[in-house]
Amino acid sequence: MAREVWNTRVGFILAAIGSAVGLGNIWRFSYAAYENGGGVFLIPYFIALLTAGIPLMILEFGMGSKFRGAAPMAFKRAKQGFESIGWWGVITSFIITAYYSVIMGWSLVYLVKSFNLGWGSDTVSFFYDTLLQTSGSPWHFEGFAPSVLAALVVVWFLIWIIEKKGVQKGIERANKVFMPLLWILLIILVFRAVTLPGALNGIDWYLKPDFSRLTDFGVWQAAYAQAFYSLSLGMAIMITYSSYLPKKSDIVNNAFIVSLADGAFSFTMGFVVFGTLGYMAFAQGVGIVEVVDQGIGLAFMALPKALSMLPGLKVLTSAAFFLSISVAALSSLISLIEAFASALMDKFEIERVRAVNLTIAICALCSLLYATKAGIYWLDIVDHFINSYGMIIVGIFETIAIGWIFGADKIRAWVNNYSDIKVGAWWDLGIKVVLPIVLIYLVYSDTKANLAAPYGDYPISALMAGVGVIAIGMLISVLMPFVKREVE
Ligand code: PFF
């Protein structure tokens, strides 16, 4: 089977940006900046991009384009024994997709509700009681939350329609619409946010530089974690997307464009988040600390509340906000599913449509867990553990296996072939030294925190189940190389 290729360079870049720009840019970056020194966070973040994010992006683009395979195949072609590293990336993507799809489902519900601000004034109760109908504990599933289930069906249908059409007609075409749309929505939202009374106060909180924090180790840790998460690295995605590049592609430039565009999106979104929160604090006569939130709480509780309080254009602004979350999530989901489907196509030499159908069937089935009334607990638990042991572990093995054993210099020679900007020895340093140290440190500190106190208020049995999912995923990754094509 001939490998599919991108139609245009722009198509590839937009798809890679589509993967990178996701929920992490909307609800993770601005809070990370706010908590870690405000405006000065940009300094460690930029350094993290240059010393870890961009070097790894170049490595993943280089591997994909050199070995021309989805992650497991690419690693296998570097060295027979490396195949499992690729599978752990693929399975990490798979585990994330199962709940990321449900979050997109919530966002679609909010998009529909935008038209009458249907979340009402008590947004916390709307989210937990009306929408999710949350049960009392992780083990009380109590059936499905009907609207979440209905939205989930729509999400899977959208992914399926795009994915089955392939690289050019599906992924590329969709991102050529989604990315411009996303940036237009962002611009609309920024204008709306910064013109609100009190907005500048909020933005001041977001960006007020606290230089003393630069000596704080935790700030640097947060910057590296954010760069890594936001760029969709260590998830088999960027290797897969770049495996569809034509031979003579400018890898280095592409990696810079994608990484900087992703950073720019996050930074700009911060103005929307903090501008709007600043307005709400102003309208309620309280400080920003009283209204600020991150993650799910920010997108589905704090901001809807602020949106209902806007002095005008409530419906339009709300719809633009939830449409932007939905589009950002969908373009990331497509890349997550592609990483898995493409690996199946390589391994079992099956047609795209079959691989996509299979991937979506299994993944949609797993996502049902998160549509039950205990779904939010499982989402929180699995997200917590996969963030510590999913892509970061892939990153550690990747940099050691390719950087040290296969040889960073060989990949560097490859990427320099057709790139305008040539990477120098600084790149080897990033791959072989900075990245392994930073990533090993991240795993170490997360593990220390997990052992010091169990995560959240969950029963130990539920936490063990969360860890169990990760352990089973790792076991499958180790076993996959032994599965032969003949099984098909
Ligand atoms: N980079 C995307 C985001 O920031 O949302 C996609 C993604 C990365 C999703 C990492 C999930 C994840 F754990």
Side-chain angles (χ1 to χ4, degrees):
M1 254 186 305
R3 198 159 192 85
E4 294 175 87
V5 281
W6 300 103
N7 195 20
T8 60
R9 177 177 176 186
V10 172
F12 163 72
I13 290 177
L14 291 179
I17 295 177
S19 171
V21 173
L23 301 173
N25 302 63
I26 295 173
W27 70 37
R28 209 169 180 275
F29 179 88
S30 46
Y31 190 85
Y34 160 78
E35 251 201 335
N36 292 290
V40 293
F41 183 71
L42 294 175
I43 300 172
Y45 188 70
F46 198 67
I47 293 177
L49 269 188
L50 283 183
T51 57
I54 295 175
L56 196 54
M57 181 80 79
I58 294 174
L59 178 76
E60 296 204 350
F61 282 179
M63 282 182 69
S65 65
K66 183 175 168 68
F67 299 121
R68 314 191 61 71
M73 182 65 97
F75 275 100
K76 190 176 168 186
R77 287 188 174 147
K79 203 169 167 49
Q80 190 76 22
F82 292 168
E83 186 181 339
S84 291
I85 307 173
W87 283 111
W88 184 227
V90 167
I91 292 174
T92 294
S93 280
F94 178 85
I95 293 173
I96 290 175
T97 316
Y99 63 83
Y100 209 83
S101 56
V102 176
I103 301 176
M104 177 178 166
W106 301 342
S107 171
L108 288 182
V109 173
Y110 276 77
L111 177 59
V112 173
K113 296 274 175 198
S114 294
F115 294 92
N116 61 354
L117 305 172
W119 44 78
S121 52
D122 187 351
T123 52
V124 177
S125 162
F126 174 79
F127 181 71
Y128 286 114
D129 305 333
T130 313
L131 178 62
L132 305 190
Q133 306 183 359
T134 304
S135 70
S137 90
W139 296 113
H140 291 97
F141 298 104
E142 294 173 13
F144 295 110
S147 340
V148 178
L149 189 62
L152 192 58
V153 173
V154 176
V155 170
W156 283 117
F157 179 71
L158 291 172
I159 300 175
W160 178 71
I161 282 284
I162 296 168
E163 270 288 305
K164 78 181 173 57
K165 291 212 177 107
V167 173
Q168 289 192 6
K169 296 210 174 92
I171 305 174
E172 185 166 351
R173 224 185 241 176
N175 277 292
K176 278 186 174 163
V177 177
F178 290 161
M179 287 308 105
L181 173 65
L182 195 56
W183 285 88
I184 292 170
L185 290 170
L186 178 67
I187 292 166
I188 295 174
L189 288 168
V190 170
F191 271 105
R192 183 66 199 121
V194 299
T195 50
L196 291 167
L200 292 182
N201 261 340
I203 292 164
D204 194 43
W205 272 95
Y206 167 44
L207 293 178
K208 193 172 53 195
D210 178 357
F211 284 96
S212 68
R213 299 295 303 280
L214 282 182
T215 52
D216 179 344
F217 204 60
V219 169
W220 289 85
Q221 193 180 333
Y224 276 92
Q226 176 63 25
F228 194 74
Y229 183 98
S230 192
L231 295 177
S232 301
L233 295 167
M235 307 176 72
I237 294 173
M238 294 304 181
I239 296 179
T240 306
Y241 269 11
S242 55
S243 73
Y244 304 130
L245 278 171
K247 267 222 153 60
K248 300 183 182 175
S249 297
D250 187 329
I251 299 293
V252 179
N253 233 334
N254 286 352
F256 270 90
I257 295 171
V258 173
S259 308
L260 295 177
D262 179 73
F265 191 97
S266 294
F267 178 65
T268 316
M269 196 69 197
F271 286 81
V272 176
V273 169
F274 277 87
T276 313
L277 290 179
Y279 163 74
M280 179 156 72
F282 165 83
Q284 293 182 333
V286 296
I288 196 99
V289 274
E290 316 255 329
V291 295
V292 72
D293 207 341
Q294 62 170 333
I296 291 166
L298 172 77
F300 298 109
M301 287 170 262
L303 283 177
K305 188 166 179 188
L307 290 166
S308 292
M309 290 166 62
L310 292 184
L313 299 176
K314 290 182 202 192
V315 170
L316 199 76
T317 317
S318 303
F321 180 69
F322 287 107
L323 185 59
S324 71
I325 294 197
S326 307
V327 171
L330 181 56
S331 54
S332 297
L333 278 167
I334 291 168
S335 71
L336 286 154
I337 283 290
E338 181 62 18
F340 197 96
S342 180
L344 292 186
M345 284 185 257
D346 281 357
K347 177 87 183 172
F348 301 111
E349 293 188 359
I350 51 176
E351 296 292 327
R352 163 169 290 274
V353 176
R354 265 188 83 191
V356 166
N357 287 348
L358 199 65
T359 306
I360 291 188
I362 308 174
C363 208
L365 207 66
C366 295
S367 70
L368 290 178
L369 167 68
Y370 306 103
T372 64
K373 294 179 185 171
I376 181 94
Y377 303 124
W378 292 105
L379 195 157
D380 188 36
I381 293 169
V382 174
D383 179 61
H384 173 75
F385 289 114
I386 200 79
N387 277 324
S388 305
Y389 305 111
M391 43 278 194
I392 298 188
I393 300 277
V394 176
I396 294 171
F397 279 104
E398 185 174 25
T399 48
I400 293 173
I402 304 297
W404 287 94
I405 303 173
F406 177 77
D409 49 333
K410 286 190 216 152
I411 299 281
R412 175 150 61 99
W414 169 265
V415 301
N416 279 344
N417 260 343
Y418 302 106
S419 296
D420 281 340
I421 318 168
K422 311 274 181 225
V423 282
W426 63 270
W427 182 77
D428 297 36
L429 193 74
I431 294 294
K432 291 168 79 170
V433 182
V434 178
L435 269 155
I437 292 178
V438 167
L439 297 176
I440 289 172
Y441 184 79
L442 288 177
V443 172
Y444 162 77
S445 69
D446 283 356
T447 306
K448 209 167 93 180
N450 280 329
L451 293 176
Y455 177 65
D457 292 331
Y458 300 109
I460 293 296
S461 56
L463 293 177
M464 296 302 285
V467 175
V469 169
I470 310 277
I472 292 170
M474 285 187 178
L475 187 67
I476 296 176
S477 317
V478 173
L479 295 178
M480 273 316 273
F482 300 102
V483 178
K484 293 283 174 276
R485 178 152 43 92
E486 293 76 57
V487 201
E488 244 301 292

